[in-house]
Amino acid sequence: MPTPLESLVNSGTKLWVDSVDPAEVEKNLAWGATGATSNPVIISDLIKKGGYDHTIRELISEGFDDADVAWALVDHAVAEAQEAFHWAWEDSGCDDGWVSFELDPLLEDPDGHVPHDERVRQYIELGKEWSSGQENRMIKVPATPAGIDALEELCAAGVTLNVTLIFTERQYQAARDAVWRGAQRRDSLDAFKSVYSIFISRIDVYTDKHCPDLDPTAQGEVGIVNAKRLWRANQEFWADKKLDLKQEIIFASTGVKKQGDPPWKYVEALAGSDIQTNPPETNEAAQNSGLVFPSRVEQMPSPAVLTAIDAGVDFDKMEEVLLREGVKKFTDPQHALLKLVAEKRAELSPA
Protein backbone atom coordinates (compact mmCIF):
# COMPACT_ATOMS: atom_id res chain seq x y z
CA MET A 1 0.00 0.00 0.00
CA PRO A 2 1.41 3.43 -0.90
CA THR A 3 2.30 5.95 1.78
CA PRO A 4 0.11 9.09 1.92
CA LEU A 5 2.56 11.18 -0.11
CA GLU A 6 3.08 8.34 -2.57
CA SER A 7 -0.69 8.32 -3.07
CA LEU A 8 -0.55 12.08 -3.70
CA VAL A 9 2.09 11.59 -6.39
CA ASN A 10 0.10 8.66 -7.81
CA SER A 11 -2.90 11.00 -8.14
CA GLY A 12 -0.96 13.06 -10.70
CA THR A 13 0.53 15.72 -8.43
CA LYS A 14 4.20 16.69 -8.56
CA LEU A 15 5.37 17.05 -4.97
CA TRP A 16 7.79 19.88 -4.25
CA VAL A 17 9.06 21.16 -0.92
CA ASP A 18 9.16 24.82 0.07
CA SER A 19 12.72 24.60 1.36
CA VAL A 20 16.31 24.19 0.18
CA ASP A 21 17.54 23.12 3.60
CA PRO A 22 19.65 20.03 2.76
CA ALA A 23 18.08 18.03 5.60
CA GLU A 24 14.56 18.82 4.40
CA VAL A 25 15.50 18.14 0.78
CA GLU A 26 16.85 14.72 1.73
CA LYS A 27 13.77 13.85 3.82
CA ASN A 28 11.31 14.99 1.15
CA LEU A 29 13.20 13.24 -1.63
CA ALA A 30 12.56 9.99 0.25
CA TRP A 31 8.84 10.86 0.32
CA GLY A 32 8.67 11.44 -3.42
CA ALA A 33 9.50 15.13 -3.82
CA THR A 34 10.94 16.15 -7.18
CA GLY A 35 11.51 19.90 -6.81
CA ALA A 36 11.91 22.79 -4.38
CA THR A 37 11.59 26.52 -3.85
CA SER A 38 13.68 28.98 -1.86
CA ASN A 39 13.08 32.24 0.01
CA PRO A 40 15.01 34.52 2.41
CA VAL A 41 13.57 32.90 5.55
CA ILE A 42 15.02 29.53 4.52
CA ILE A 43 18.46 31.04 3.93
CA SER A 44 18.35 32.87 7.27
CA ASP A 45 17.53 29.63 9.07
CA LEU A 46 20.50 27.91 7.41
CA ILE A 47 22.81 30.74 8.49
CA LYS A 48 21.53 30.54 12.08
CA LYS A 49 22.49 26.87 12.21
CA GLY A 50 26.13 27.89 11.70
CA GLY A 51 26.79 25.69 8.69
CA TYR A 52 27.73 28.63 6.50
CA ASP A 53 30.20 30.28 8.91
CA HIS A 54 33.26 29.12 6.95
CA THR A 55 31.78 30.31 3.66
CA ILE A 56 30.83 33.67 5.17
CA ARG A 57 34.39 34.15 6.48
CA GLU A 58 35.79 33.45 3.01
CA LEU A 59 33.37 35.87 1.34
CA ILE A 60 34.17 38.57 3.86
CA SER A 61 37.89 38.07 3.27
CA GLU A 62 37.29 38.50 -0.46
CA GLY A 63 35.67 41.90 0.13
CA PHE A 64 32.01 40.95 -0.33
CA ASP A 65 29.54 43.41 1.19
CA ASP A 66 26.54 42.15 3.16
CA ALA A 67 24.20 42.00 0.17
CA ASP A 68 26.75 40.14 -1.94
CA VAL A 69 27.35 37.65 0.89
CA ALA A 70 23.61 37.05 1.19
CA TRP A 71 23.16 36.44 -2.54
CA ALA A 72 26.21 34.18 -2.71
CA LEU A 73 24.65 32.04 0.03
CA VAL A 74 21.29 31.96 -1.78
CA ASP A 75 23.05 30.88 -4.96
CA HIS A 76 24.95 28.17 -3.08
CA ALA A 77 21.87 26.77 -1.31
CA VAL A 78 19.75 26.75 -4.45
CA ALA A 79 22.56 25.14 -6.47
CA GLU A 80 22.85 22.34 -3.88
CA ALA A 81 19.13 21.67 -4.14
CA GLN A 82 19.37 21.74 -7.93
CA GLU A 83 21.99 19.02 -7.75
CA ALA A 84 19.76 16.93 -5.49
CA PHE A 85 16.81 17.16 -7.89
CA HIS A 86 18.75 17.07 -11.16
CA TRP A 87 17.91 13.40 -11.68
CA ALA A 88 14.19 14.31 -11.81
CA TRP A 89 14.93 17.04 -14.34
CA GLU A 90 16.75 14.56 -16.56
CA ASP A 91 14.24 11.70 -16.12
CA SER A 92 11.28 13.95 -16.94
CA GLY A 93 12.86 15.51 -20.01
CA CYS A 94 13.13 18.88 -18.21
CA ASP A 95 9.47 18.88 -17.11
CA ASP A 96 10.21 18.41 -13.39
CA GLY A 97 13.14 18.59 -10.99
CA TRP A 98 13.20 22.39 -10.85
CA VAL A 99 14.36 24.61 -7.97
CA SER A 100 13.14 28.21 -7.78
CA PHE A 101 15.47 31.14 -7.12
CA GLU A 102 13.72 34.27 -5.83
CA LEU A 103 14.89 37.59 -7.26
CA ASP A 104 15.59 40.51 -4.94
CA PRO A 105 12.40 41.21 -2.91
CA LEU A 106 13.67 44.69 -2.07
CA LEU A 107 12.87 45.82 -5.60
CA GLU A 108 9.26 45.98 -4.36
CA ASP A 109 10.04 47.60 -1.00
CA PRO A 110 7.75 50.66 -0.73
CA ASP A 111 10.38 52.40 1.38
CA GLY A 112 12.96 51.89 -1.36
CA HIS A 113 11.10 54.16 -3.80
CA VAL A 114 12.50 52.35 -6.85
CA PRO A 115 10.70 53.70 -9.96
CA HIS A 116 8.58 51.23 -11.93
CA ASP A 117 10.76 51.21 -15.04
CA GLU A 118 13.89 50.66 -12.95
CA ARG A 119 12.23 47.72 -11.18
CA VAL A 120 11.40 46.19 -14.54
CA ARG A 121 14.96 46.72 -15.79
CA GLN A 122 16.46 45.13 -12.70
CA TYR A 123 14.10 42.15 -12.80
CA ILE A 124 15.23 41.50 -16.36
CA GLU A 125 18.92 41.99 -15.58
CA LEU A 126 18.87 39.88 -12.41
CA GLY A 127 16.75 37.16 -13.97
CA LYS A 128 19.21 36.73 -16.80
CA GLU A 129 22.18 36.84 -14.41
CA TRP A 130 20.94 34.26 -11.90
CA SER A 131 19.64 31.85 -14.55
CA SER A 132 22.74 31.91 -16.74
CA GLY A 133 24.27 28.46 -17.09
CA GLN A 134 21.71 26.84 -14.78
CA GLU A 135 19.94 23.77 -16.13
CA ASN A 136 17.15 23.17 -13.59
CA ARG A 137 16.80 26.59 -11.97
CA MET A 138 13.57 28.55 -12.23
CA ILE A 139 13.59 32.28 -11.68
CA LYS A 140 10.85 33.42 -9.31
CA VAL A 141 9.26 36.77 -10.26
CA PRO A 142 6.27 38.25 -8.37
CA ALA A 143 3.05 39.13 -10.18
CA THR A 144 3.39 42.79 -9.24
CA PRO A 145 3.04 45.45 -11.96
CA ALA A 146 6.82 45.61 -12.44
CA GLY A 147 7.24 41.85 -12.24
CA ILE A 148 4.59 41.25 -14.88
CA ASP A 149 6.11 43.90 -17.14
CA ALA A 150 9.45 42.06 -17.00
CA LEU A 151 8.08 38.63 -17.92
CA GLU A 152 7.91 38.91 -21.70
CA GLU A 153 11.54 39.98 -22.04
CA LEU A 154 12.75 37.38 -19.53
CA CYS A 155 10.91 34.58 -21.29
CA ALA A 156 12.09 35.74 -24.72
CA ALA A 157 15.65 35.55 -23.38
CA GLY A 158 15.15 31.88 -22.50
CA VAL A 159 14.65 32.26 -18.75
CA THR A 160 12.44 29.59 -17.14
CA LEU A 161 9.93 31.40 -14.94
CA ASN A 162 7.96 30.79 -11.77
CA VAL A 163 5.50 33.68 -11.52
CA THR A 164 4.63 33.95 -7.85
CA LEU A 165 2.39 35.92 -5.52
CA ILE A 166 -0.70 35.32 -7.68
CA PHE A 167 -4.07 35.70 -5.98
CA THR A 168 -6.54 36.44 -8.76
CA GLU A 169 -7.50 35.56 -12.31
CA ARG A 170 -6.51 39.06 -13.46
CA GLN A 171 -2.93 38.55 -12.24
CA TYR A 172 -2.75 35.04 -13.65
CA GLN A 173 -3.97 36.08 -17.10
CA ALA A 174 -1.65 39.09 -17.28
CA ALA A 175 1.34 36.97 -16.26
CA ARG A 176 0.49 34.05 -18.54
CA ASP A 177 -0.10 36.27 -21.57
CA ALA A 178 3.18 38.11 -21.03
CA VAL A 179 5.09 34.84 -20.72
CA TRP A 180 3.43 33.43 -23.84
CA ARG A 181 4.31 36.57 -25.84
CA GLY A 182 7.91 36.14 -24.78
CA ALA A 183 7.89 32.43 -25.61
CA GLN A 184 6.74 33.14 -29.14
CA ARG A 185 9.77 35.38 -29.65
CA ARG A 186 12.13 32.45 -29.03
CA ASP A 187 13.75 30.60 -31.90
CA SER A 188 12.27 27.36 -30.55
CA LEU A 189 9.60 26.36 -28.02
CA ASP A 190 11.30 23.02 -27.29
CA ALA A 191 12.62 24.09 -23.87
CA PHE A 192 9.79 26.46 -22.97
CA LYS A 193 8.54 25.84 -19.43
CA SER A 194 6.60 28.15 -17.10
CA VAL A 195 4.72 27.80 -13.82
CA TYR A 196 2.27 30.08 -11.99
CA SER A 197 2.22 30.02 -8.18
CA ILE A 198 -1.32 30.49 -6.89
CA PHE A 199 -1.43 31.39 -3.19
CA ILE A 200 -4.21 29.66 -1.28
CA SER A 201 -4.30 29.81 2.52
CA ARG A 202 -3.69 33.57 2.58
CA ILE A 203 -6.97 34.00 0.72
CA ASP A 204 -8.86 32.14 3.43
CA VAL A 205 -7.18 34.32 6.06
CA TYR A 206 -8.32 37.36 4.08
CA THR A 207 -11.96 36.28 3.76
CA ASP A 208 -12.12 35.33 7.43
CA LYS A 209 -11.02 38.87 8.33
CA HIS A 210 -12.49 41.03 5.58
CA CYS A 211 -15.62 39.09 4.55
CA PRO A 212 -17.34 38.35 7.88
CA ASP A 213 -20.76 38.18 6.21
CA LEU A 214 -19.68 35.47 3.75
CA ASP A 215 -21.98 32.46 3.95
CA PRO A 216 -20.52 30.03 6.53
CA THR A 217 -20.60 27.22 3.95
CA ALA A 218 -18.26 29.27 1.75
CA GLN A 219 -15.92 30.56 4.46
CA GLY A 220 -12.67 28.64 4.29
CA GLU A 221 -13.38 27.41 0.74
CA VAL A 222 -12.46 30.51 -1.27
CA GLY A 223 -8.73 29.74 -1.55
CA ILE A 224 -9.45 26.25 -2.86
CA VAL A 225 -12.18 27.33 -5.27
CA ASN A 226 -10.02 30.18 -6.61
CA ALA A 227 -7.07 27.84 -7.14
CA LYS A 228 -9.18 25.25 -8.92
CA ARG A 229 -10.69 27.87 -11.21
CA LEU A 230 -7.25 29.17 -12.17
CA TRP A 231 -6.02 25.62 -12.66
CA ARG A 232 -8.90 24.97 -15.05
CA ALA A 233 -8.25 28.24 -16.92
CA ASN A 234 -4.60 27.25 -17.27
CA GLN A 235 -5.50 23.79 -18.58
CA GLU A 236 -7.80 25.32 -21.19
CA PHE A 237 -5.35 28.00 -22.35
CA TRP A 238 -2.45 25.64 -23.04
CA ALA A 239 -4.51 22.73 -24.41
CA ASP A 240 -4.07 23.67 -28.08
CA LYS A 241 -0.51 25.02 -27.96
CA LYS A 242 1.18 21.66 -28.77
CA LEU A 243 4.14 22.23 -26.44
CA ASP A 244 6.65 19.60 -25.37
CA LEU A 245 6.70 20.73 -21.73
CA LYS A 246 3.78 21.42 -19.39
CA GLN A 247 2.92 24.95 -18.35
CA GLU A 248 1.68 24.35 -14.84
CA ILE A 249 0.00 25.80 -11.81
CA ILE A 250 1.89 25.61 -8.53
CA PHE A 251 -0.47 25.33 -5.60
CA ALA A 252 1.43 27.44 -3.04
CA SER A 253 0.74 28.80 0.43
CA THR A 254 -0.64 25.38 1.36
CA GLY A 255 0.18 25.50 5.06
CA VAL A 256 -3.07 25.89 7.02
CA LYS A 257 -3.43 29.03 9.12
CA LYS A 258 -6.81 28.49 10.83
CA GLN A 259 -6.86 26.61 14.10
CA GLY A 260 -8.83 23.41 13.78
CA ASP A 261 -8.17 22.86 10.09
CA PRO A 262 -6.33 19.60 9.37
CA PRO A 263 -2.75 20.39 8.27
CA TRP A 264 -3.32 18.51 5.00
CA LYS A 265 -6.50 20.45 4.10
CA TYR A 266 -5.08 21.95 0.91
CA VAL A 267 -2.94 18.94 0.05
CA GLU A 268 -6.07 16.81 -0.01
CA ALA A 269 -8.33 19.29 -1.82
CA LEU A 270 -5.86 19.98 -4.65
CA ALA A 271 -4.53 16.47 -5.26
CA GLY A 272 -4.54 15.25 -8.82
CA SER A 273 -2.60 17.59 -11.09
CA ASP A 274 0.24 20.02 -11.56
CA ILE A 275 2.49 20.93 -8.60
CA GLN A 276 2.12 21.34 -4.86
CA THR A 277 4.93 23.29 -3.20
CA ASN A 278 4.29 22.49 0.44
CA PRO A 279 6.09 23.64 3.60
CA PRO A 280 8.16 20.84 5.15
CA GLU A 281 5.81 20.60 8.12
CA THR A 282 2.81 20.23 5.82
CA ASN A 283 4.43 17.38 3.90
CA GLU A 284 5.40 15.73 7.18
CA ALA A 285 1.87 16.00 8.57
CA ALA A 286 0.41 14.62 5.35
CA GLN A 287 2.90 11.74 5.36
CA ASN A 288 1.98 10.90 8.95
CA SER A 289 -1.77 11.22 8.38
CA GLY A 290 -2.33 7.64 7.29
CA LEU A 291 -4.65 8.94 4.55
CA VAL A 292 -4.91 8.27 0.84
CA PHE A 293 -5.04 11.35 -1.37
CA PRO A 294 -7.00 10.61 -4.55
CA SER A 295 -7.48 13.19 -7.30
CA ARG A 296 -9.87 15.95 -6.23
CA VAL A 297 -8.64 18.96 -8.19
CA GLU A 298 -11.64 18.83 -10.54
CA GLN A 299 -14.22 18.55 -7.75
CA MET A 300 -16.04 21.76 -6.87
CA PRO A 301 -18.38 22.53 -3.98
CA SER A 302 -22.09 22.98 -4.59
CA PRO A 303 -23.40 25.73 -6.91
CA ALA A 304 -24.80 27.47 -3.83
CA VAL A 305 -21.31 27.76 -2.33
CA LEU A 306 -19.87 29.06 -5.61
CA THR A 307 -22.66 31.64 -5.86
CA ALA A 308 -22.01 32.74 -2.28
CA ILE A 309 -18.30 33.18 -3.01
CA ASP A 310 -18.90 35.25 -6.13
CA ALA A 311 -21.47 37.41 -4.35
CA GLY A 312 -19.53 37.82 -1.12
CA VAL A 313 -15.91 38.37 -2.20
CA ASP A 314 -14.60 41.46 -3.97
CA PHE A 315 -11.66 39.86 -5.79
CA ASP A 316 -10.19 43.20 -6.93
CA LYS A 317 -10.07 44.43 -3.33
CA MET A 318 -8.70 41.07 -2.22
CA GLU A 319 -5.87 41.32 -4.74
CA GLU A 320 -5.01 44.85 -3.61
CA VAL A 321 -4.81 43.88 0.06
CA LEU A 322 -3.07 40.53 -0.37
CA LEU A 323 -0.54 41.84 -2.87
CA ARG A 324 0.40 44.64 -0.49
CA GLU A 325 0.68 42.17 2.40
CA GLY A 326 2.52 39.70 0.20
CA VAL A 327 5.14 42.25 -0.80
CA LYS A 328 5.73 42.97 2.89
CA LYS A 329 6.06 39.23 3.60
CA PHE A 330 8.76 39.16 0.91
CA THR A 331 10.65 42.35 1.84
CA ASP A 332 10.71 41.98 5.64
CA PRO A 333 12.53 38.60 5.53
CA GLN A 334 15.06 40.01 3.04
CA HIS A 335 15.81 42.89 5.42
CA ALA A 336 16.13 40.33 8.23
CA LEU A 337 18.53 38.25 6.12
CA LEU A 338 20.78 41.25 5.47
CA LYS A 339 20.71 42.13 9.17
CA LEU A 340 21.69 38.56 10.05
CA VAL A 341 24.60 38.65 7.59
CA ALA A 342 25.79 41.92 9.18
CA GLU A 343 25.65 40.30 12.61
CA LYS A 344 27.60 37.31 11.31
CA ARG A 345 30.20 39.68 9.83
CA ALA A 346 30.71 41.26 13.25
CA GLU A 347 30.92 37.84 14.87
CA LEU A 348 33.25 36.19 12.36
CA SER A 349 35.53 39.04 11.27
CA PRO A 350 39.03 39.07 12.74
CA ALA A 351 39.40 41.36 15.74
Side-chain angles (χ1 to χ4, degrees), residues 38-40 65-68 70-71 74 101-110 112 114 118-130 139-142 144 146-147 154 164-165 327 329-338:
S38 180
N39 61 53
D65 64 20
D66 291 346
D68 287 339
W71 286 109
V74 172
F101 182 106
E102 182 177 319
L103 296 186
D104 191 353
L106 298 187
L107 289 178
E108 298 292 343
D109 189 351
V114 180
E118 177 61 15
R119 293 180 186 183
V120 174
R121 187 195 69 77
Q122 288 197 44
Y123 275 131
I124 294 170
E125 179 181 302
L126 290 170
K128 291 177 179 179
E129 175 187 344
W130 289 116
I139 296 301
K140 193 192 295 187
V141 180
T144 58
L154 281 168
T164 189
L165 216 60
V327 165
K329 289 178 187 292
F330 275 28
T331 57
D332 285 357
Q334 185 67 16
H335 282 298
L337 172 59
L338 294 175

Side-chain angles (χ1 to χ4, degrees), residues 46-293:
L46 289 170
I47 293 173
K48 290 173 185 175
K49 293 178 180 179
Y52 285 158
D53 284 3
H54 177 71
T55 303
I56 293 172
R57 282 195 187 94
E58 287 187 340
L59 294 170
I60 291 171
S61 69
E62 293 173 17
F64 281 48
D65 64 20
D66 291 346
D68 287 339
V69 169
W71 286 109
L73 296 177
V74 172
D75 187 35
H76 174 76
V78 171
E80 278 196 329
Q82 287 176 244
E83 184 176 351
F85 289 110
H86 195 269
W87 65 271
W89 184 80
E90 289 186 320
D91 288 356
S92 66
C94 314
D95 216 21
D96 200 356
W98 295 91
V99 181
S100 289
F101 182 106
E102 182 177 319
L103 296 186
D104 191 353
L106 298 187
L107 289 178
E108 298 292 343
D109 189 351
D111 295 332
H113 305 293
V114 180
H116 175 89
D117 288 350
E118 177 61 15
R119 293 180 186 183
V120 174
R121 187 195 69 77
Q122 288 197 44
Y123 275 131
I124 294 170
E125 179 181 302
L126 290 170
K128 291 177 179 179
E129 175 187 344
W130 289 116
S131 65
S132 178
Q134 303 290 336
E135 287 187 325
N136 59 325
R137 175 179 292 187
M138 281 181 165
I139 296 301
K140 193 192 295 187
V141 180
T144 58
I148 289 173
D149 281 355
L151 294 175
E152 179 179 343
E153 192 61 37
L154 281 168
C155 187
V159 177
T160 300
L161 294 162
N162 173 359
V163 189
T164 189
L165 216 60
I166 297 176
F167 300 102
T168 62
E169 185 175 10
R170 187 208 69 79
Q171 286 177 287
Y172 159 72
Q173 289 183 347
R176 178 203 66 200
D177 291 350
V179 170
W180 181 227
R181 288 195 302 271
Q184 292 174 93
R185 290 168 52 192
R186 296 185 181 188
D187 293 335
S188 169
L189 292 173
D190 290 349
F192 168 53
K193 174 80 177 180
S194 63
V195 298
Y196 305 84
S197 291
I198 311 302
F199 282 44
I200 301 162
S201 63
R202 293 189 195 178
I203 288 177
D204 290 335
V205 172
Y206 171 87
T207 61
D208 195 48
K209 180 179 180 180
H210 295 279
C211 307
D213 297 328
L214 185 64
D215 190 291
T217 62
Q219 197 68 266
E221 295 294 321
V222 182
I224 292 170
V225 167
N226 186 63
K228 289 184 176 183
R229 283 173 166 173
L230 297 187
W231 172 81
R232 173 53 60 193
N234 193 62
Q235 294 279 311
E236 292 172 353
F237 179 82
W238 299 108
D240 64 349
K241 302 297 187 289
K242 297 181 174 60
L243 299 169
D244 290 338
L245 303 180
K246 295 178 181 177
Q247 316 305 312
E248 298 178 282
I249 294 295
I250 288 184
F251 299 114
S253 180
T254 54
V256 298
K257 295 178 172 63
K258 185 173 182 179
Q259 189 173 3
D261 281 346
W264 49 81
K265 172 182 176 178
Y266 301 112
V267 174
E268 183 175 44
L270 299 164
S273 186
D274 288 24
I275 303 161
Q276 289 189 21
T277 296
N278 301 325
E281 58 271 19
T282 300
N283 278 343
E284 184 151 10
Q287 181 71 347
N288 294 332
S289 69
L291 299 175
V292 173
F293 298 111

